[in-house]
Amino acid sequence: MSTMNASSLIPAPQNRTIRAPRGAEKTCTTWQAEAAMRMLMNNLDPEVAEHPESLIVYGGRGQAARSWEAYDAIIDTLQRLKADETLLVQSGKPVGVIQTHENAPRVMIANSNLVPHWGTQEHFDELSAKGLMMYGQMTAGSWIYIGTQGILQGTFETYAQCARDHFNGTLAGTLNVTGGCGGMGGAQPLSITLNGGTCLIADVDQTRLQRRLDDEYLDELVVDLDEAIDRAVELKAQKSATSVGWCGNSVTLLERLIERDIIPDTLTDQTSAHDPLQGYCPIEYTYEQSVEAREEDAAAYQKLSLASMRRHVEAMVKLQKLGSVTFDYGNNIRQRAFDEGFQDAFAFPGFVPAYIRPQFCLGRGPFRWCALSGDPIDIYKTDYALLQLFPKEDGAYNERLHQWILGCHKNPDALLAQDFDNCEPRFAFQGLPCRICWFGLGERDKAGLLFNNMVQSGAVSAPIVIGRDHLDCGSVASPNRETESMKDGTDAVSDWPLLNFATNIASGASWVSFHHGGGVGIGFSQHAGQVIVADGTNEAADRLSRVLKNDPMMGIFRHADAGYEDAIQCGRDQEVDIPMQS
Ligand code: NAD
């Protein structure tokens, strides 16, 4: 357990406001380097990051750069980087520039990696306190975080699948309880209401709830605990798709629900339980007290934090036994409770085996894009173009895609009429305007080439960046999350993300990353990411076509190898070359 002060683990705050440049003029030599620079800056935009003053983007202490000096050096290097050079970044610090070629990535990033025997939170914290490492989470240190929208569709899909499996396809008339309204967790209330349900969400930090209210991800804030519960129960009875936030500890909320015999229809949690020191707040403290307590005695704080997580999971299992459809939402809270001696901690499943794996078997996963122009109209134009590219008549998935894209608009008729000036977002853009969709093998490359053509023809006013979360079909080894309960027991095999990292380098992604510890914390995961720029050139078209085919193909290889029939069939249908599968 860490003995250092909590503040030594994060960069000293600086009073700077970072905002990415907008428009079609670049200051770097290539659009690939320009895009990496703008997306790094965008990660730290106060509209996007949770604590930009300390370089923290989201997910507990997920950072974009190791220190402010490292940040400045990355920007300087990207601005002078030649078209045939590649910058190497080690745990958020630029460490070298190598001569490569024009189709190589402009940046290669490795964050938070440790040799497995030393891959513990204690060792990581020792190095981090000495300024030798940083925690990159998934998209913080790989410069493709796009704010809460980044997880919105994944969360929407998860609840949609849950509704199909348990509630006849809609959450209308259901009470959905959860905790953690931070960078990613803040997508939960809107995802639940988009699926028709009532949401009750707890967060210890009032400012986080207020931010989601301001961004229209959360509908109401109720101060008193019992009044918040009463309000949520009333909304459920009215079948009202409304979300209620309550400022307090999730454990307090769940134990009160048990006392009052109110059983949520669904139950999950997205507090930052992956990080017992910087992320989670024990029941003994208010948010303000927790900030001081972790500073005074980090070891004592973590002890309380882990004990609270045990109580938290005990309450979740109790409610599950009373009838709540309960699932883990990727923060490793079950493992923490198990390590604290709660034998039944894994009584409820993770969200991937419960709802998402069938999508992974089709190479499907998060596909996000961002308009470097800074102009929301460019995003509306891509929205419209995608609806044309994937007509809703062509199958159930396209129908859901249409529902999703139109659902991102307050005024869908304006979008359908191509009246882009009158389009309005359903939820606020944060930083550079962007969009997220889940696409599979055979869809991602089509979308990428469409965007490149739009840049080439001038239909959009500047290049478009295409990236994804590390949470994807063939890019993660995370036994308590993306690879939980694999059919062949290969949950912990991390050859796959390494092959994914190599595949994206060989295919010509614009920047690539390999991280350890994202989502579930140090020691529990390894994962890779890629980002590629559509700058309208023919060379970019070649790269896009390779990267956006090969990257999701890793999901087919991974799941076909593990024996999933859907992946094997998808491989056959799409003529994927898998040597030992006929
Ligand atoms: P974050 O650090 O931005 O937010 C976490 C929130 O939890 C904070 O607002 C904090 O105040 C609140 N909190 C902490 N302890 C609490 C408690 N006991 N009761 C109530 N509120 C409490 O993190 P984030 O980006 O929102 O991510 C949340 C967790 O989800 C992390 O563990 C992250 O790794 C994981 N995650 C999951 C997915 C997914 O798709 N399932 C994706 C990204 C991140």
PDB file of all heavy atoms in Angstrom, residues 52-76:
ATOM      1  N   PRO A  52      -8.093  19.585 -15.594  1.00  0.00           N
ATOM      2  CA  PRO A  52      -7.033  19.927 -16.552  1.00  0.00           C
ATOM      3  C   PRO A  52      -5.823  20.595 -15.904  1.00  0.00           C
ATOM      4  O   PRO A  52      -4.711  20.452 -16.396  1.00  0.00           O
ATOM      5  CB  PRO A  52      -7.735  20.883 -17.525  1.00  0.00           C
ATOM      6  CG  PRO A  52      -8.967  21.360 -16.829  1.00  0.00           C
ATOM      7  CD  PRO A  52      -9.360  20.280 -15.880  1.00  0.00           C
ATOM      8  N   GLU A  53      -6.032  21.309 -14.787  1.00  0.00           N
ATOM      9  CA  GLU A  53      -4.910  22.014 -14.144  1.00  0.00           C
ATOM     10  C   GLU A  53      -3.814  21.040 -13.713  1.00  0.00           C
ATOM     11  O   GLU A  53      -2.646  21.403 -13.648  1.00  0.00           O
ATOM     12  CB  GLU A  53      -5.409  22.859 -12.969  1.00  0.00           C
ATOM     13  CG  GLU A  53      -5.924  22.116 -11.733  1.00  0.00           C
ATOM     14  CD  GLU A  53      -7.267  21.392 -11.906  1.00  0.00           C
ATOM     15  OE1 GLU A  53      -7.938  21.610 -12.930  1.00  0.00           O
ATOM     16  OE2 GLU A  53      -7.645  20.606 -11.012  1.00  0.00           O
ATOM     17  N   SER A  54      -4.173  19.766 -13.457  1.00  0.00           N
ATOM     18  CA  SER A  54      -3.189  18.752 -13.076  1.00  0.00           C
ATOM     19  C   SER A  54      -2.985  17.734 -14.200  1.00  0.00           C
ATOM     20  O   SER A  54      -2.508  16.628 -13.939  1.00  0.00           O
ATOM     21  CB  SER A  54      -3.632  18.023 -11.805  1.00  0.00           C
ATOM     22  OG  SER A  54      -3.599  18.902 -10.715  1.00  0.00           O
ATOM     23  N   LEU A  55      -3.364  18.081 -15.408  1.00  0.00           N
ATOM     24  CA  LEU A  55      -3.225  17.239 -16.601  1.00  0.00           C
ATOM     25  C   LEU A  55      -4.087  15.979 -16.528  1.00  0.00           C
ATOM     26  O   LEU A  55      -3.892  15.032 -17.275  1.00  0.00           O
ATOM     27  CB  LEU A  55      -1.753  16.834 -16.819  1.00  0.00           C
ATOM     28  CG  LEU A  55      -0.801  17.987 -17.129  1.00  0.00           C
ATOM     29  CD1 LEU A  55       0.634  17.624 -16.759  1.00  0.00           C
ATOM     30  CD2 LEU A  55      -0.846  18.337 -18.620  1.00  0.00           C
ATOM     31  N   ILE A  56      -5.071  15.962 -15.604  1.00  0.00           N
ATOM     32  CA  ILE A  56      -5.935  14.784 -15.456  1.00  0.00           C
ATOM     33  C   ILE A  56      -7.171  14.930 -16.338  1.00  0.00           C
ATOM     34  O   ILE A  56      -7.900  15.928 -16.256  1.00  0.00           O
ATOM     35  CB  ILE A  56      -6.347  14.585 -13.980  1.00  0.00           C
ATOM     36  CG1 ILE A  56      -5.100  14.163 -13.194  1.00  0.00           C
ATOM     37  CG2 ILE A  56      -7.448  13.537 -13.855  1.00  0.00           C
ATOM     38  CD1 ILE A  56      -5.329  13.984 -11.727  1.00  0.00           C
ATOM     39  N   VAL A  57      -7.365  13.901 -17.184  1.00  0.00           N
ATOM     40  CA  VAL A  57      -8.438  13.971 -18.171  1.00  0.00           C
ATOM     41  C   VAL A  57      -9.710  13.299 -17.650  1.00  0.00           C
ATOM     42  O   VAL A  57     -10.781  13.888 -17.666  1.00  0.00           O
ATOM     43  CB  VAL A  57      -7.973  13.333 -19.500  1.00  0.00           C
ATOM     44  CG1 VAL A  57      -9.050  13.428 -20.566  1.00  0.00           C
ATOM     45  CG2 VAL A  57      -6.688  13.996 -19.984  1.00  0.00           C
ATOM     46  N   TYR A  58      -9.607  12.065 -17.171  1.00  0.00           N
ATOM     47  CA  TYR A  58     -10.784  11.327 -16.674  1.00  0.00           C
ATOM     48  C   TYR A  58     -10.294  10.073 -15.970  1.00  0.00           C
ATOM     49  O   TYR A  58      -9.082   9.841 -15.861  1.00  0.00           O
ATOM     50  CB  TYR A  58     -11.730  10.943 -17.834  1.00  0.00           C
ATOM     51  CG  TYR A  58     -11.270   9.731 -18.625  1.00  0.00           C
ATOM     52  CD1 TYR A  58     -11.878   8.479 -18.474  1.00  0.00           C
ATOM     53  CD2 TYR A  58     -10.192   9.809 -19.496  1.00  0.00           C
ATOM     54  CE1 TYR A  58     -11.436   7.364 -19.179  1.00  0.00           C
ATOM     55  CE2 TYR A  58      -9.750   8.698 -20.196  1.00  0.00           C
ATOM     56  CZ  TYR A  58     -10.370   7.486 -20.031  1.00  0.00           C
ATOM     57  OH  TYR A  58      -9.924   6.383 -20.719  1.00  0.00           O
ATOM     58  N   GLY A  59     -11.267   9.269 -15.486  1.00  0.00           N
ATOM     59  CA  GLY A  59     -10.941   7.946 -14.951  1.00  0.00           C
ATOM     60  C   GLY A  59      -9.951   7.988 -13.812  1.00  0.00           C
ATOM     61  O   GLY A  59      -8.839   7.454 -13.936  1.00  0.00           O
ATOM     62  N   GLY A  60     -10.345   8.630 -12.690  1.00  0.00           N
ATOM     63  CA  GLY A  60      -9.424   8.745 -11.559  1.00  0.00           C
ATOM     64  C   GLY A  60      -8.314   9.698 -11.929  1.00  0.00           C
ATOM     65  O   GLY A  60      -8.539  10.878 -12.147  1.00  0.00           O
ATOM     66  N   ARG A  61      -7.077   9.185 -12.055  1.00  0.00           N
ATOM     67  CA  ARG A  61      -5.955  10.080 -12.362  1.00  0.00           C
ATOM     68  C   ARG A  61      -5.382   9.846 -13.759  1.00  0.00           C
ATOM     69  O   ARG A  61      -4.170   9.912 -13.966  1.00  0.00           O
ATOM     70  CB  ARG A  61      -4.868   9.947 -11.303  1.00  0.00           C
ATOM     71  CG  ARG A  61      -4.390   8.531 -11.108  1.00  0.00           C
ATOM     72  CD  ARG A  61      -3.245   8.449 -10.107  1.00  0.00           C
ATOM     73  NE  ARG A  61      -3.525   7.469  -9.083  1.00  0.00           N
ATOM     74  CZ  ARG A  61      -2.578   6.794  -8.424  1.00  0.00           C
ATOM     75  NH1 ARG A  61      -1.316   7.002  -8.672  1.00  0.00           N
ATOM     76  NH2 ARG A  61      -2.919   5.905  -7.514  1.00  0.00           N
ATOM     77  N   GLY A  62      -6.248   9.510 -14.731  1.00  0.00           N
ATOM     78  CA  GLY A  62      -5.787   9.303 -16.111  1.00  0.00           C
ATOM     79  C   GLY A  62      -5.263  10.605 -16.714  1.00  0.00           C
ATOM     80  O   GLY A  62      -6.013  11.560 -16.883  1.00  0.00           O
ATOM     81  N   GLN A  63      -3.962  10.623 -17.038  1.00  0.00           N
ATOM     82  CA  GLN A  63      -3.309  11.869 -17.479  1.00  0.00           C
ATOM     83  C   GLN A  63      -3.026  11.871 -18.982  1.00  0.00           C
ATOM     84  O   GLN A  63      -2.836  10.832 -19.600  1.00  0.00           O
ATOM     85  CB  GLN A  63      -1.955  12.017 -16.767  1.00  0.00           C
ATOM     86  CG  GLN A  63      -2.049  12.490 -15.350  1.00  0.00           C
ATOM     87  CD  GLN A  63      -0.689  12.525 -14.661  1.00  0.00           C
ATOM     88  OE1 GLN A  63      -0.592  12.070 -13.536  1.00  0.00           O
ATOM     89  NE2 GLN A  63       0.334  13.055 -15.326  1.00  0.00           N
ATOM     90  N   ALA A  64      -2.910  13.113 -19.527  1.00  0.00           N
ATOM     91  CA  ALA A  64      -2.577  13.281 -20.945  1.00  0.00           C
ATOM     92  C   ALA A  64      -1.074  13.416 -21.150  1.00  0.00           C
ATOM     93  O   ALA A  64      -0.558  13.098 -22.228  1.00  0.00           O
ATOM     94  CB  ALA A  64      -3.274  14.521 -21.495  1.00  0.00           C
ATOM     95  N   ALA A  65      -0.356  13.916 -20.147  1.00  0.00           N
ATOM     96  CA  ALA A  65       1.105  14.064 -20.232  1.00  0.00           C
ATOM     97  C   ALA A  65       1.653  13.951 -18.815  1.00  0.00           C
ATOM     98  O   ALA A  65       0.919  14.145 -17.840  1.00  0.00           O
ATOM     99  CB  ALA A  65       1.489  15.408 -20.845  1.00  0.00           C
ATOM    100  N   ARG A  66       2.958  13.618 -18.701  1.00  0.00           N
ATOM    101  CA  ARG A  66       3.477  13.320 -17.365  1.00  0.00           C
ATOM    102  C   ARG A  66       3.620  14.570 -16.497  1.00  0.00           C
ATOM    103  O   ARG A  66       3.415  14.529 -15.298  1.00  0.00           O
ATOM    104  CB  ARG A  66       4.821  12.606 -17.472  1.00  0.00           C
ATOM    105  CG  ARG A  66       5.120  11.851 -16.198  1.00  0.00           C
ATOM    106  CD  ARG A  66       6.515  11.270 -16.126  1.00  0.00           C
ATOM    107  NE  ARG A  66       6.862  10.421 -17.232  1.00  0.00           N
ATOM    108  CZ  ARG A  66       8.069   9.880 -17.371  1.00  0.00           C
ATOM    109  NH1 ARG A  66       9.013  10.102 -16.458  1.00  0.00           N
ATOM    110  NH2 ARG A  66       8.360   9.136 -18.419  1.00  0.00           N
ATOM    111  N   SER A  67       4.021  15.661 -17.108  1.00  0.00           N
ATOM    112  CA  SER A  67       4.215  16.912 -16.364  1.00  0.00           C
ATOM    113  C   SER A  67       3.950  18.051 -17.347  1.00  0.00           C
ATOM    114  O   SER A  67       3.908  17.832 -18.567  1.00  0.00           O
ATOM    115  CB  SER A  67       5.658  16.996 -15.866  1.00  0.00           C
ATOM    116  OG  SER A  67       6.521  17.008 -16.996  1.00  0.00           O
ATOM    117  N   TRP A  68       3.864  19.268 -16.826  1.00  0.00           N
ATOM    118  CA  TRP A  68       3.659  20.395 -17.733  1.00  0.00           C
ATOM    119  C   TRP A  68       4.886  20.604 -18.622  1.00  0.00           C
ATOM    120  O   TRP A  68       4.741  20.983 -19.786  1.00  0.00           O
ATOM    121  CB  TRP A  68       3.312  21.665 -16.945  1.00  0.00           C
ATOM    122  CG  TRP A  68       1.863  21.667 -16.522  1.00  0.00           C
ATOM    123  CD1 TRP A  68       1.356  21.468 -15.284  1.00  0.00           C
ATOM    124  CD2 TRP A  68       0.723  21.838 -17.391  1.00  0.00           C
ATOM    125  NE1 TRP A  68      -0.021  21.508 -15.300  1.00  0.00           N
ATOM    126  CE2 TRP A  68      -0.437  21.736 -16.578  1.00  0.00           C
ATOM    127  CE3 TRP A  68       0.562  22.055 -18.768  1.00  0.00           C
ATOM    128  CZ2 TRP A  68      -1.730  21.858 -17.105  1.00  0.00           C
ATOM    129  CZ3 TRP A  68      -0.729  22.180 -19.284  1.00  0.00           C
ATOM    130  CH2 TRP A  68      -1.849  22.076 -18.452  1.00  0.00           C
ATOM    131  N   GLU A  69       6.080  20.289 -18.095  1.00  0.00           N
ATOM    132  CA  GLU A  69       7.297  20.397 -18.931  1.00  0.00           C
ATOM    133  C   GLU A  69       7.209  19.385 -20.085  1.00  0.00           C
ATOM    134  O   GLU A  69       7.537  19.696 -21.225  1.00  0.00           O
ATOM    135  CB  GLU A  69       8.572  20.101 -18.117  1.00  0.00           C
ATOM    136  CG  GLU A  69       8.896  21.094 -17.020  1.00  0.00           C
ATOM    137  CD  GLU A  69       7.949  20.991 -15.807  1.00  0.00           C
ATOM    138  OE1 GLU A  69       7.393  19.904 -15.539  1.00  0.00           O
ATOM    139  OE2 GLU A  69       7.756  22.018 -15.140  1.00  0.00           O
ATOM    140  N   ALA A  70       6.762  18.168 -19.746  1.00  0.00           N
ATOM    141  CA  ALA A  70       6.637  17.126 -20.784  1.00  0.00           C
ATOM    142  C   ALA A  70       5.589  17.557 -21.815  1.00  0.00           C
ATOM    143  O   ALA A  70       5.786  17.374 -23.030  1.00  0.00           O
ATOM    144  CB  ALA A  70       6.257  15.793 -20.152  1.00  0.00           C
ATOM    145  N   TYR A  71       4.493  18.135 -21.332  1.00  0.00           N
ATOM    146  CA  TYR A  71       3.437  18.604 -22.251  1.00  0.00           C
ATOM    147  C   TYR A  71       4.022  19.615 -23.246  1.00  0.00           C
ATOM    148  O   TYR A  71       3.842  19.497 -24.468  1.00  0.00           O
ATOM    149  CB  TYR A  71       2.286  19.230 -21.456  1.00  0.00           C
ATOM    150  CG  TYR A  71       1.306  19.984 -22.320  1.00  0.00           C
ATOM    151  CD1 TYR A  71       0.302  19.316 -23.018  1.00  0.00           C
ATOM    152  CD2 TYR A  71       1.417  21.378 -22.478  1.00  0.00           C
ATOM    153  CE1 TYR A  71      -0.567  20.017 -23.841  1.00  0.00           C
ATOM    154  CE2 TYR A  71       0.550  22.073 -23.303  1.00  0.00           C
ATOM    155  CZ  TYR A  71      -0.438  21.392 -23.985  1.00  0.00           C
ATOM    156  OH  TYR A  71      -1.289  22.083 -24.810  1.00  0.00           O
ATOM    157  N   ASP A  72       4.745  20.624 -22.723  1.00  0.00           N
ATOM    158  CA  ASP A  72       5.307  21.660 -23.604  1.00  0.00           C
ATOM    159  C   ASP A  72       6.283  21.043 -24.610  1.00  0.00           C
ATOM    160  O   ASP A  72       6.302  21.422 -25.780  1.00  0.00           O
ATOM    161  CB  ASP A  72       6.027  22.727 -22.766  1.00  0.00           C
ATOM    162  CG  ASP A  72       5.022  23.592 -21.995  1.00  0.00           C
ATOM    163  OD1 ASP A  72       3.886  23.738 -22.459  1.00  0.00           O
ATOM    164  OD2 ASP A  72       5.389  24.097 -20.918  1.00  0.00           O
ATOM    165  N   ALA A  73       7.077  20.067 -24.132  1.00  0.00           N
ATOM    166  CA  ALA A  73       8.064  19.444 -25.030  1.00  0.00           C
ATOM    167  C   ALA A  73       7.370  18.619 -26.121  1.00  0.00           C
ATOM    168  O   ALA A  73       7.838  18.580 -27.266  1.00  0.00           O
ATOM    169  CB  ALA A  73       9.025  18.577 -24.219  1.00  0.00           C
ATOM    170  N   ILE A  74       6.242  17.990 -25.777  1.00  0.00           N
ATOM    171  CA  ILE A  74       5.509  17.217 -26.803  1.00  0.00           C
ATOM    172  C   ILE A  74       5.003  18.173 -27.893  1.00  0.00           C
ATOM    173  O   ILE A  74       5.159  17.930 -29.093  1.00  0.00           O
ATOM    174  CB  ILE A  74       4.327  16.429 -26.182  1.00  0.00           C
ATOM    175  CG1 ILE A  74       4.837  15.309 -25.271  1.00  0.00           C
ATOM    176  CG2 ILE A  74       3.440  15.830 -27.283  1.00  0.00           C
ATOM    177  CD1 ILE A  74       3.745  14.642 -24.424  1.00  0.00           C
ATOM    178  N   ILE A  75       4.414  19.287 -27.450  1.00  0.00           N
ATOM    179  CA  ILE A  75       3.870  20.242 -28.426  1.00  0.00           C
ATOM    180  C   ILE A  75       5.004  20.782 -29.315  1.00  0.00           C
ATOM    181  O   ILE A  75       4.881  20.794 -30.561  1.00  0.00           O
ATOM    182  CB  ILE A  75       3.143  21.408 -27.711  1.00  0.00           C
ATOM    183  CG1 ILE A  75       1.988  20.893 -26.852  1.00  0.00           C
ATOM    184  CG2 ILE A  75       2.678  22.480 -28.712  1.00  0.00           C
ATOM    185  CD1 ILE A  75       0.787  20.344 -27.582  1.00  0.00           C
ATOM    186  N   ASP A  76       6.121  21.183 -28.707  1.00  0.00           N
ATOM    187  CA  ASP A  76       7.251  21.711 -29.499  1.00  0.00           C
ATOM    188  C   ASP A  76       7.724  20.679 -30.519  1.00  0.00           C
ATOM    189  O   ASP A  76       7.986  21.000 -31.680  1.00  0.00           O
ATOM    190  CB  ASP A  76       8.453  22.032 -28.584  1.00  0.00           C
ATOM    191  CG  ASP A  76       8.196  23.303 -27.796  1.00  0.00           C
ATOM    192  OD1 ASP A  76       7.210  23.990 -28.101  1.00  0.00           O
ATOM    193  OD2 ASP A  76       8.980  23.577 -26.857  1.00  0.00           O
TER     194      ASP A  76
END
